Amino acid sequence: MFKKILIANRGEIALRVIRTCKEMGIKTVAVYSQADVDAMHVRMADESVCIGPADSAKSYLSIPSIISACEITGSEAVHPGYGFLSENAKFAEILGDHGIKFIGPSVSHINTMGDKINAKVQMETFNVPCVPGSNGEVKDVHDANIIAKKIGYPVLLKAASGGGGIGMKIVSSDDQLETLFLQAKSEAKKSFNDDTMYMEKYLEKPRHIEIQVFGDGKGKAVHLGERDCSLQRRHQKVLEETPSPGVNSEEITKIGNICSNAISKMRYEGAGTIEFLYEKKKFFFIEMNTRLQVEHPITEAIYGVDLVREQIRIAYGMGMSLSQDTLNPKGHAIECRINAESLPTFLPSPGNIKEFHSPGGIGIRMDSAIYNGFMIPPHYDSLIGKLIVHADSRSMAISRLSRALDELIIDGVHTTVDLFKKILDEKDFNSGEYNIHWLERWLADQVK
Ligand code: MV4
C-alpha cells in the first residue's frame, strides 16, 4: 500500500481524505496557501508544504508547485479532492510523467468526459439514454436553425467545454436563436477558450439525479445508487438526498445497471458520477464527473462504505472490494451544504469563528474544517461544512436533520443554516415534490 499520499486540496475535503489515509496507515502531506497557514487540514496532516500565496491560481491550481511538494516530500500518490485540479487531465498526465499516481480515472477518461459532446457520444454507444439533441457540434447559426426545428423549441444551447450550467442559453423561439447562439458562443470562448456549442431539447421541470459508479479499470464496475441534487441555487447544490423521493427503486436499479455496464465497458478506473435529468419517469444523461463529488457522504451513509478508501485501494492496484451483490442500501440520508454566506443575499461572509459546536448523536456526520477561533479566508468558496444525517426512513432523517440543525452552533459569521430550518418546514420538501426550479422560486417568494 502507498506509504505517503499528498492531498491537493483544502478545507473539509482535505480533512476527509486525511482521515481515511490515517485509518489506512498512510502518511499524509497537506498543501496550503499563505491564507491557510492555520487551517485544520494542515494541523491534521503528518507533513505540510506551503505552495504559494492566497490566490488559487498561484497555489491550489499551480501544477508546478504541487509537483514540487510531491518531490520534496516523496509522496507516491495525489488525491485531488473536488474542484481545483480534480478534473484537470494535464495535471493527471504530468503526475504520471513524474511517476506519481493520480488517484482517479485515466487521462483519456478525464478528457473524454470533460468534453460534453464526446461524453454523450461515449454514453450513447453504451445505450445510456441521453437528452435528444444535435448529436454533435452546432457549427453556425444556419446549423442551429435546422437542428432547433428538428428538435422542437424550447431548446438549450450548451458549451462543449462547459458544465455546471455555465454558458447555457434557453431558446424559446427561432427569432431568438441567432442572437442567443452568438452570445453563447462568445461567452464560451471567454470562459473556456473553446466556443464549441451543442444543442439539446430543453427539459422544463426535471429532477437532477446522479448515479455513483465505481470501476477497477479492468472491467469490473458497480453502481452505488442515486443522489437527488435538485435543490440548487444558481447551479450550486444546496441540499442532496438519497434515495430520491421522486424515483422508485426499480427505476434506479435499471439505470444503475445501465451505468455500471457503461463503466465496465469503458474500463473506467475509480469513482465517477453520471448525471441525469429525470422527467416524466425517464432518465436523460447530461454529464459525467470524473471526481469524487461534494455530496458523496450520503452515498457512504446508506451503503456503509468509505469511497475514499476504495479510491486509494484501486489506485494502488488492489482489486475492487465492492461487489454489486453486497451493496445493499439502508435507510435514507440527507446532506446540507453549510456556507458562510448571509441570507437572503447569499453574499459571502468570511471572518472569525467565535464559537463552533457540532451536532452529534446517532446518524449524524459533520464534515467541516472550521474550529473556534478559525478565520475563514475570503479567497475560496464559502462552503464551511456539510451536515449529513442518516436514519431508517426519510421522515426520520428529516426530523433528525431538524434536531441537528438546532444543535449546530456557528457564531461570528453569517451562515445559511437558517435556510435549511425553513426548507424542512416546507410542504413541497416534506412531500418530496420538488424539481430543479423549486428552490429558486421558493427563495424568490421569501423576499417578496
Ligand atoms: C439541462 C436542463 C434542461 N434541459 N439540459 C444545469 C447544469 C448542468 N448540469 C446541466 N444543467 C441543465 N441542463 C436540458 N436539456 C436544465 C439544467 C439545469 C439544471 C440541471 C440540474 C440542476 C439544476 C439546474 C438548474 C438549471 C438548469
Side-chain angles (χ1 to χ4, degrees):
M1 179 42 77
F2 296 122
K3 291 188 181 54
K4 192 182 283 188
I5 291 178
L6 182 142
I7 294 90
N9 215 301
R10 62 180 297 281
E12 67 85 17
I13 191 62
L15 219 51
R16 187 261 172 277
V17 173
I18 288 168
R19 285 175 172 143
T20 292
C21 290
K22 283 193 167 182
E23 291 174 7
M24 295 176 78
I26 300 168
K27 292 290 180 203
T28 55
V29 176
V31 292
Y32 63 97
S33 71
Q34 287 161 342
D36 274 338
V37 173
D38 301 323
M40 185 58 89
H41 75 285
V42 177
R43 291 164 63 168
M44 282 258 203
D46 297 294
E47 287 177 69
S48 59
V49 179
C50 183
I51 52 171
D55 175 8
S56 300
K58 296 180 186 126
S59 48
Y60 296 107
L61 290 170
S62 164
I63 295 177
S65 305
I66 293 168
I67 299 287
S68 308
C70 290
E71 302 287 354
I72 295 166
T73 58
S75 299
E76 303 150 271
V78 168
H79 194 297
Y82 50 68
F84 292 130
L85 297 168
S86 62
E87 294 184 293
N88 183 313
K90 197 79 198 123
F91 179 53
E93 187 180 13
I94 294 173
L95 282 171
D97 295 346
H98 285 74
I100 301 165
K101 177 66 180 164
F102 175 77
I103 297 175
S106 66
V107 171
S108 78
H109 284 144
I110 299 172
N111 272 321
T112 300
M113 299 309 169
D115 178 312
K116 307 308 173 194
I117 294 176
N118 290 343
K120 284 185 82 169
V121 169
Q122 176 86 276
M123 288 301 164
E124 277 162 348
T125 58
F126 300 124
N127 301 316
V128 175
C130 292
V131 185
S134 54
N135 299 324
E137 183 184 0
V138 178
K139 292 191 175 14
D140 52 34
V141 175
H142 176 69
D143 218 11
N145 263 301
I146 293 167
I147 294 165
K149 281 198 174 46
K150 189 163 67 80
I151 299 174
Y153 288 101
V155 297
L156 192 60
L157 292 165
K158 290 183 172 181
S161 294
I166 304 166
M168 285 188 342
K169 292 270 185 244
I170 305 171
V171 187
S172 310
S173 59
D174 57 12
D175 59 318
Q176 297 172 340
L177 188 61
E178 176 163 1
T179 311
L180 291 177
F181 179 75
L182 296 173
Q183 250 175 28
K185 226 169 153 54
S186 82
E187 279 172 23
K189 186 71 184 166
K190 269 193 218 107
S191 307
F192 318 111
N193 193 28
D194 172 11
D195 66 356
T196 310
M197 300 304 293
Y198 65 108
M199 189 188 287
E200 293 181 340
K201 178 72 183 163
Y202 178 63
L203 303 183
E204 312 251 6
K205 296 186 277 197
R207 298 184 89 105
H208 188 202
I209 308 285
E210 60 186 30
I211 302 290
Q212 179 69 57
V213 291
F214 212 95
D216 68 350
K218 299 169 191 142
K220 276 203 185 138
V222 296
H223 73 85
L224 294 100
E226 82 280 26
R227 292 185 290 260
D228 192 324
C229 305
S230 304
L231 290 191
Q232 307 208 10
R233 176 183 176 272
R234 297 185 184 175
H235 301 294
Q236 293 300 315
K237 295 167 184 167
V238 170
L239 178 148
E240 307 97 346
E241 65 176 308
T242 182
S244 165
V247 189
N248 72 44
S249 58
E250 290 72 28
E251 292 164 288
I252 292 300
T253 303
K254 190 160 168 284
I255 196 70
N257 291 335
I258 291 171
C259 290
S260 54
N261 174 58
I263 292 302
S264 163
K265 295 266 180 13
M266 284 164 64
R267 281 169 169 46
Y268 184 88
E269 175 181 330
T273 297
I274 303 182
E275 284 192 34
F276 292 90
L277 296 177
Y278 181 76
E279 191 173 70
K280 296 173 187 149
K281 292 198 169 308
K282 284 207 177 104
F283 285 95
F284 299 93
F285 170 79
I286 44 175
E287 299 173 21
M288 177 172 183
N289 304 318
T290 54
R291 67 179 187 274
L292 189 66
Q293 308 265 115
V294 171
E295 59 271 20
H296 75 275
I298 58 174
T299 301
E300 294 185 322
I302 66 166
Y303 281 94
V305 298
D306 178 338
L307 287 172
V308 170
R309 179 185 183 86
E310 296 305 327
Q311 285 184 296
I312 292 170
R313 285 170 50 89
I314 288 290
Y316 189 68
M318 296 171 80
M320 285 256 281
S321 66
L322 300 174
S323 67
Q324 203 65 57
D325 54 353
T326 56
L327 283 167
N328 302 303
K330 283 184 181 49
H332 195 97
I334 306 173
E335 174 186 84
C336 295
R337 296 191 189 197
I338 295 161
N339 292 344
E341 293 169 345
S342 47
L343 295 174
T345 60
F346 290 89
L347 285 174
S349 166
N352 185 43
I353 301 285
K354 289 196 176 52
E355 187 184 3
F356 171 54
H357 172 75
S358 175
I362 304 170
I364 301 285
R365 171 176 169 178
M366 181 78 185
D367 278 17
S368 174
I370 63 173
Y371 56 86
N372 285 352
F374 178 60
M375 181 64 82
I376 301 175
H379 313 282
Y380 310 110
D381 73 38
S382 57
L383 179 73
I384 54 173
K386 298 167 357 189
L387 175 56
I388 299 102
V389 300
H390 181 219
D392 291 345
S393 70
R394 186 170 191 263
S395 57
M396 290 167 78
I398 290 173
S399 58
R400 181 162 284 167
L401 178 54
S402 177
R403 186 269 296 172
L405 287 165
D406 287 343
E407 260 184 61
L408 174 59
I409 299 171
I410 304 177
D411 280 345
V413 294
H414 297 294
T415 74
T416 53
V417 170
D418 287 346
L419 171 65
F420 298 106
K421 295 179 179 177
K422 289 185 183 149
I423 290 172
L424 294 193
D425 286 340
E426 282 301 317
K427 182 175 63 61
D428 289 348
F429 177 75
N430 279 278
S431 68
E433 278 158 38
Y434 56 79
N435 60 41
I436 63 171
H437 305 298
W438 184 85
L439 183 58
E440 288 195 305
R441 286 178 183 151
W442 178 78
L443 286 167
D445 290 346
Q446 297 304 299
V447 291
K448 272 179 185 161

